[in-house]
């Protein structure tokens, strides 16, 4: 038997995304030149997407432990204890590059991939969320990309029967050449029946299950680890094609088998397909693996070993089973109409040996691809501190109601109803709080419990001051969960950045990680899973640093949740937190003054914790009927959104401030909540006892208007029209 011969040229090495030094390292590891299949395997496993070679130094610094954490980073998804023998399993991942090239399939397979990461752990998915970033609305591609991505998410999620319950969508010219599509899935499992990917037992069979393998997605991981250039459209063949109906069958078959005592290890075939799943399973188990690729089910003829190992065809899993369980497992998968094939076995060699056509196509030590893959300490430079905004440089607006109308109807703050109404957010009948609020809430069946979940990030803060932006992203996710009454448990992160080989980009990454670390530690809010997506830039133009946070919290009694909607006229509106009128990097500054400038609002994590703990206690004690965290657009946007979510109620704000009205209303100071209450005296007393700033700033009304100051008011119907109309009209091209 002999390995296939091919000339490994400099151009071929470069096309595989390997540096000269990395290729020299391969020569040392193998003590010979690699075959094409071996080159492809190293390329995939050492890609930024699979190896985290530029980021793992920094990721290791994040807090990942806590009494609630069952499994932190390093597995397919994070696992957190929610009591009563139950666990929540969740993760977020990116599908940015594929979604820019082919928006429908890129987004659809992003959803499919993250679903598999969760049910691979033994959890039944109960909710999907997403974080989307698109370019300038005026860019010629933006409307097409929005349409395709939303259709892909709804097409896959709706068909598989998992509700899409929350997310965020923003527009900015920095994403013109690189949109972001981050998909998150949350699942429920028995805490004592979590499945892991570490293989054990030399001689045990390696099983392939699911759909057949084709040529779609080859080089997907490598493509996702490089900048785009003007030839981005030519990379369409590297985008995977998904089938949600097959995924539904795979989900049910896997969960059925998991109910049996049959599985030793299981791994989704995600990025890099059979390569990553086989290497990771054997590597985590400190074993070797031998594969016979002639046994792999295929849907295309004459596929080579290279193609079979690097294909990213969807809806596939790799398993290690107890030998005696093979007949039972085969019967389950065949009954669900899925392929089931023994394609190899575990060995004690510590090597990945691949056979096809009676020849050895690859023979590689596994350790250099897993524990000893490249790790870079990239040069980085700290982002200079931005100057503080001088309000004296601003021109007070002529009409505060007009400012509100413009901001609430702007691309970043306009209603996303056009999007989320395309998602089935009610299927499974457990959705308590629908999209449109601070966080979604999902019932935990057969219990009183519920899970709150959200995704958050403010990229303009991260670009201006990365450490502050990283901390704020975590704090806002924590705040959104708290605003529903939930106790924040843990988060997953999706680190979307530009080219890490540029010191200022690496500095943004390091700064955001530092801020996230501080927030996670202070708020007792560990990170348990995540994803890094680098090289998000085109022709040297990077995206804004976008470290998306996906947070999950627990409500002991779902009946005690709260929403943003005002409930009763005459209830007091109490503002929790201090208002200084901070306008640096605010939506007001951008939309009204036409500037993205100056320092973002500071984040005091101890204040965040104290304010949030107070609000959560007030909700738990039934003292709050509505609650909304303050973020983009400040107080005026928060009260407008609370009124719009109500059944026809308005609100009246009292002008009790020495600040300029526009700063008071639209400043973006952090650690703030607006609550509606019939127990204002008791709320203020509780706040004073807790050392938290709180004061009455207005009340709910039934006059159908929003009064911003004693003299300025606007009909709610005008605000609603501005808020609801922008996105549908934009998508219609009108």
């Amino acid at each position: 038997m002999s390995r296939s011969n091919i000339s490994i040229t400099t151009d071929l090495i470069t096309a595989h995304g390997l540096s000269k030094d990395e290729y020299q390292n391969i020569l040392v590891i193998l003590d010979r030149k690699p075959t094409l299949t071996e080159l492809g395997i190293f390329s995939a496993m050492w890609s930024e997407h699979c190896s985290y070679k530029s980021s793992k130094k920094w990721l290791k610094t994040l807090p990942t432990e806590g009494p609630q954490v069952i499994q932190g980073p390093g597995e397919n998804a994070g696992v957190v204890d929610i009591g009563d023998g139950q666990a929540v399993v969740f993760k977020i991942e990116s599908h940015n590059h594929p979604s820019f090239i082919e928006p429908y399939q890129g987004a659809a397979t992003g959803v499919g991939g993250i679903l598999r990461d969760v049910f691979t752990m033994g959890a039944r998915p109960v909710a999907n969320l997403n974080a989307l970033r698109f370019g300038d609305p005026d860019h010629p591609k933006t409307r097409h990309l929005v349409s395709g991505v939303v259709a892909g998410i709804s097409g896959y999620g709706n068909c598989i029967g998992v509700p899409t319950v929350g997310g965020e969508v923003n527009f900015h010219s920095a994403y013109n050449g690189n949109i972001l599509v981050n998909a998150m899935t949350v699942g429920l499992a028995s805490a004592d029946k979590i499945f892991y990917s570490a293989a054990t037992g030399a001689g045990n069979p390696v099983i392939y299950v699911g759909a057949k393998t084709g040529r779609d997605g080859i080089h997907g991981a490598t493509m996702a680890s490089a900048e785009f250039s003007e030839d981005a459209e030519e990379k369409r063949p590297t985008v995977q094609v998904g089938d949600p109906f097959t995924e539904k069958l795979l989900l049910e078959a896997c969960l059925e088998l998991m109910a049996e005592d049959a599985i030793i290890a299981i791994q989704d075939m995600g990025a890099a397909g059979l390569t990553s799943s086989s290497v990771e399973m054997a590597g985590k188990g400190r074993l070797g693996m031998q594969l016979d690729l002639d046994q792999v089910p295929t849907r295309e003829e004459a596929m080579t070993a290279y193609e079979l190992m690097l294909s990213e065809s969807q809806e596939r899993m790799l398993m290690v089973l107890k030998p005696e369980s093979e007949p039972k497992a085969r019967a389950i998968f065949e009954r669900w109409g899925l392929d089931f094939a023994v394609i190899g076995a575990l060995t004690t060699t510590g090597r990945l040996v691949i056979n096809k056509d009676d020849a050895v196509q690859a023979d590689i030590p596994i350790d250099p691809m897993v524990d000893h893959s490249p790790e870079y300490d990239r040069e980085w430079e700290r982002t200079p501190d931005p100057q503080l905004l001088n309000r004296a440089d601003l021109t007070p607006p002529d009409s505060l109601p007009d400012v509100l109308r413009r901001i609430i109807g702007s691309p970043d703050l306009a209603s996303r109803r056009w999007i989320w109404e395309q998602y089935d957010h009610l299927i499974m009948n457990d959705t308590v709080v629908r999209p449109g609020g601070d966080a979604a809430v999902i019932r935990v069946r057969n219990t009183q419990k519920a899970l709150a979940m959200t995704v958050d990030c403010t990229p303009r803060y991260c670009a201006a001051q990365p450490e502050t932006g990283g901390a704020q992203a975590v704090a806002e996710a924590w705040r959104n969960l708290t605003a529903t009454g939930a106790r924040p448990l843990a988060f997953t992160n999706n680190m979307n950045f530009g080219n890490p080989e540029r010191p200022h980009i690496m500095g943004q990454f390091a700064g955001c990680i530092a801020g996230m670390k501080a927030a996670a530690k202070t708020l007792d809010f560990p990170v348990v899973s995540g994803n890094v997506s680098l090289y998000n830039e085109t022709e040297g133009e990077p995206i804004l640093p976008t470290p998306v946070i996906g947070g999950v919290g627990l409500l002991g009694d779902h009946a005690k949740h709260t929403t943003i909607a005002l409930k009763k006229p005459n209830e007091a509106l109490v503002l929790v937190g201090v208002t200084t009128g901070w306008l640096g990097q605010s939506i007001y500054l951008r939309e009204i003054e036409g500037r993205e400038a100056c320092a973002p609002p500071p984040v005091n994590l101890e204040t965040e914790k104290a304010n949030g703990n107070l609000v959560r206690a007030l909700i738990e004690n039934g003292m709050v009927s509505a609650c909304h965290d303050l973020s983009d657009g400040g107080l005026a946007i928060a009260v407008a959104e609370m009124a719009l979510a109500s059944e026809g109620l308005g609100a009246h704000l009292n002008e009790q401030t020495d600040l300029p009205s526009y700063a008071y209303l639209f400043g973006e100071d952090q650690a703030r909540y607006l609550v509606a209450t019939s127990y204002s005296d008791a709320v203020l007393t509780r706040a004073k006892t807790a050392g938290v700033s709180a004061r009455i700033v207005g009340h709910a009304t039934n006059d159908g208007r929003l009064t911003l100051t004693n003299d300025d008011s606007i009909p709610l119907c005008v605000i609603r029209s501005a808020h609801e109309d922008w996105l549908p009209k934009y998508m219609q091209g009108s």
Side-chain angles (χ1 to χ4, degrees):
M1 296 184 182
S2 62
R3 300 179 184 87
S4 59
N5 295 316
I6 190 168
S7 177
I8 305 297
T9 65
T10 300
D11 287 346
L12 189 62
I13 295 164
T14 301
H16 279 77
L18 293 162
S19 69
K20 181 179 179 181
D21 288 344
E22 287 170 345
Y23 182 69
Q24 290 302 313
N25 195 13
I26 292 171
L27 296 180
V28 171
I29 290 167
L30 296 178
D31 195 27
R32 57 175 170 79
K33 288 186 176 181
T35 66
L36 177 62
T37 300
E38 290 169 336
L39 186 73
I41 289 171
F42 273 107
S43 165
M45 293 308 300
W46 285 4
S47 70
E48 202 69 65
H49 192 79
C50 291
S51 73
Y52 296 88
K53 57 191 175 185
S54 296
S55 59
K56 53 189 171 184
K57 169 194 170 179
W58 299 98
L59 298 176
K60 292 173 185 176
T61 68
L62 291 171
T64 60
E65 298 178 346
Q68 73 275 37
V69 177
I70 296 173
Q71 175 64 53
E75 270 293 341
N76 287 293
V79 185
V80 176
D81 195 331
I82 61 169
D84 306 309
Q86 295 176 304
V88 58
V89 180
F90 60 98
K91 188 181 182 183
I92 192 168
E93 275 209 345
S94 61
H95 233 219
N96 304 334
H97 287 63
S99 298
F100 181 78
I101 297 168
E102 177 50 68
Y104 184 94
Q105 289 297 346
T109 53
V111 173
I114 196 62
L115 282 163
R116 288 194 302 278
D117 279 342
V118 167
F119 72 75
T120 298
M121 302 291 292
R124 178 172 289 280
V126 295
N128 289 329
L129 302 91
N130 52 73
L132 312 178
R133 297 297 190 295
F134 297 103
D136 190 315
D138 292 332
H139 190 274
K141 282 189 177 180
T142 298
R143 188 179 290 106
H144 160 71
L145 292 169
V146 173
S147 177
V149 165
V150 171
I153 291 170
S154 64
Y156 207 101
N158 294 356
C159 288
I160 200 171
V162 177
T164 300
V165 298
E168 59 173 358
V169 183
N170 292 106
F171 297 86
H172 194 282
S173 60
Y175 304 100
N176 283 349
N178 260 101
I179 65 171
L180 301 184
V181 176
N182 295 174
M184 177 176 171
T185 292
V186 180
L188 287 166
S190 295
D192 61 352
K193 277 202 169 185
I194 304 299
F195 291 82
Y196 299 96
S197 58
T200 60
N204 281 332
V206 175
I207 313 293
Y208 172 117
V209 299
K212 288 179 168 58
T213 297
R215 291 187 170 92
D216 50 317
I218 294 173
H219 292 309
T222 307
M223 180 267 290
S225 305
E227 294 180 37
F228 276 153
S229 57
E230 59 186 13
D231 65 349
E233 293 294 327
E234 298 173 13
K235 297 183 178 181
R236 186 168 278 110
T238 63
V239 177
Q240 310 90 329
V241 177
D243 179 356
F245 301 105
T246 299
E247 178 114 335
K248 175 63 173 175
L249 300 177
L250 182 62
L251 183 157
E252 298 299 342
C254 285
L255 292 181
E256 183 177 337
L257 182 60
M258 286 167 172
E260 309 286 344
D261 186 23
I263 298 174
I264 294 173
I266 182 169
Q267 176 72 42
D268 162 42
M269 288 193 220
L274 187 53
T275 286
S276 63
S277 55
S278 59
V279 168
E280 289 173 8
M281 290 178 77
K284 289 176 182 176
R286 299 289 188 267
L287 291 169
M289 187 179 289
Q290 185 160 344
L291 296 177
D292 179 2
L293 298 188
D294 290 319
Q295 306 306 313
V296 173
T298 60
R299 54 181 162 81
E300 298 186 50
E301 295 183 358
M303 290 188 70
T304 65
Y306 178 93
E307 292 171 327
L308 288 165
M309 290 303 295
L310 294 179
S311 167
E312 293 185 10
S313 293
Q314 298 292 285
E315 295 88 39
R316 303 179 299 157
M317 294 280 193
L318 200 64
M319 297 180 177
V320 175
L321 297 178
K322 295 178 180 179
E324 67 274 13
S325 299
E326 185 183 321
K328 181 191 300 181
R330 182 185 294 275
I332 289 173
F333 280 89
E334 289 181 350
R335 179 159 45 80
W336 284 99
L338 298 166
D339 279 291
F340 180 100
V342 180
I343 65 168
L346 298 176
T347 68
T348 59
T349 65
R351 301 181 74 84
L352 178 66
V353 179
I354 297 168
N355 294 284
K356 190 177 189 304
D357 301 326
D358 296 321
V360 177
Q361 304 292 335
D363 185 349
I364 309 174
I366 289 174
D367 187 64
M369 292 185 287
V370 184
D371 289 341
H372 292 91
S373 61
E375 179 174 345
Y376 296 137
D377 186 2
R378 300 279 192 194
E379 180 183 351
W380 64 282
E381 57 189 37
R382 187 176 181 276
T383 302
D385 287 333
Q387 66 181 19
L388 298 177
L389 178 70
N390 183 355
R391 277 204 301 263
D393 295 336
L394 304 182
T395 303
D398 294 330
S399 168
L400 292 172
D402 185 59
V403 169
L404 174 62
R405 182 187 56 78
R406 289 172 59 186
I407 290 180
I408 206 164
S410 66
D412 269 4
L413 290 185
S415 170
R416 302 313 190 217
R417 184 183 300 275
W418 180 90
I419 293 173
W420 58 257
E421 283 191 341
Q422 297 184 53
Y423 304 151
D424 191 334
H425 49 276
L426 297 177
I427 195 167
M428 299 177 73
N429 201 34
D430 289 319
T431 306
V432 178
V433 177
R434 306 178 184 191
D438 284 324
V441 177
I442 297 289
R443 267 188 301 265
V444 178
R445 286 189 180 180
N446 303 315
T447 75
Q448 286 297 110
K449 296 181 293 190
L451 297 172
M453 53 202 73
T454 187
V455 288
D456 278 292
C457 185
T458 310
R460 64 185 186 278
Y461 291 179
C462 297
Q465 205 162 36
E467 189 164 345
T468 297
Q472 190 274 341
V474 174
E476 187 175 350
W478 189 89
R479 207 159 59 230
N480 280 340
L481 298 173
T482 294
T484 69
R487 174 172 61 89
L489 293 174
F491 69 91
T492 179
N493 59 0
N494 207 139
M495 307 293 290
N496 306 276
F497 289 78
N499 186 342
E501 297 167 47
R502 305 180 196 275
H504 74 283
I505 299 293
M506 204 64 230
Q508 292 174 344
F509 189 94
C512 286
I513 287 284
M516 291 165 58
K517 174 184 176 182
K521 184 176 179 181
T522 301
L523 300 174
D524 299 317
F525 194 39
V527 56
V528 295
S529 60
N531 171 250
V532 176
S533 176
L534 302 178
Y535 294 96
N536 288 289
E537 54 183 89
T538 299
E539 297 292 326
E541 292 297 322
I543 63 166
L544 297 178
T546 312
V548 174
I549 304 299
V552 174
L554 177 67
L555 284 145
D557 183 350
H558 64 75
K560 291 186 176 181
H561 78 276
T562 192
T563 68
I564 70 171
L566 297 175
K567 308 297 190 303
K568 302 175 187 175
N570 300 317
E571 281 200 316
L573 299 177
V574 177
L575 180 60
V576 176
V578 175
T579 298
T580 69
W582 194 283
L583 290 173
Q585 290 298 330
S586 67
I587 292 288
Y588 176 92
L589 192 66
R590 187 177 74 192
E591 296 297 325
I592 305 304
E593 292 278 338
R595 292 198 283 151
E596 290 185 30
C598 302
V603 176
N604 185 314
L605 294 168
E606 292 294 344
T607 300
E608 286 279 4
K609 189 172 185 178
N611 294 5
N613 288 346
L614 170 70
V615 168
R616 199 178 311 110
L618 294 173
I619 295 171
E620 173 71 20
N621 292 331
M623 300 171 69
V624 167
S625 66
C627 180
H628 197 358
D629 91 300
L630 271 64
S631 53
D632 285 350
L635 174 61
I637 293 299
V639 74
E641 289 174 343
M642 293 174 79
L644 290 174
S646 74
E647 296 183 2
L649 295 181
H652 187 291
L653 294 179
N654 306 322
E655 191 171 19
Q656 300 174 348
T657 177
D658 294 330
L659 296 169
S661 295
Y662 63 91
Y664 172 68
L665 290 169
F666 299 103
E668 296 182 5
D669 299 275
Q670 298 296 293
R672 296 188 300 162
Y673 302 80
L674 188 62
V675 302
T677 178
S678 297
Y679 309 97
S680 56
D681 290 344
V683 166
L684 295 178
T685 298
R686 290 280 295 268
K688 185 175 181 180
T689 301
V692 170
S693 174
R695 65 191 184 101
I696 297 172
V697 295
H699 61 276
T701 69
N702 57 7
D703 63 1
R705 302 183 70 84
L706 186 59
T707 301
L708 299 178
T709 68
N710 292 328
D711 301 317
D712 291 303
S713 73
I714 183 171
L716 212 56
C717 61
V718 174
I719 302 174
R720 189 180 303 280
S721 177
H723 187 53
E724 297 281 354
D725 289 354
W726 181 81
L727 189 53
K729 286 182 176 179
Y730 171 71
M731 294 309 297
Q732 292 166 6
S734 58

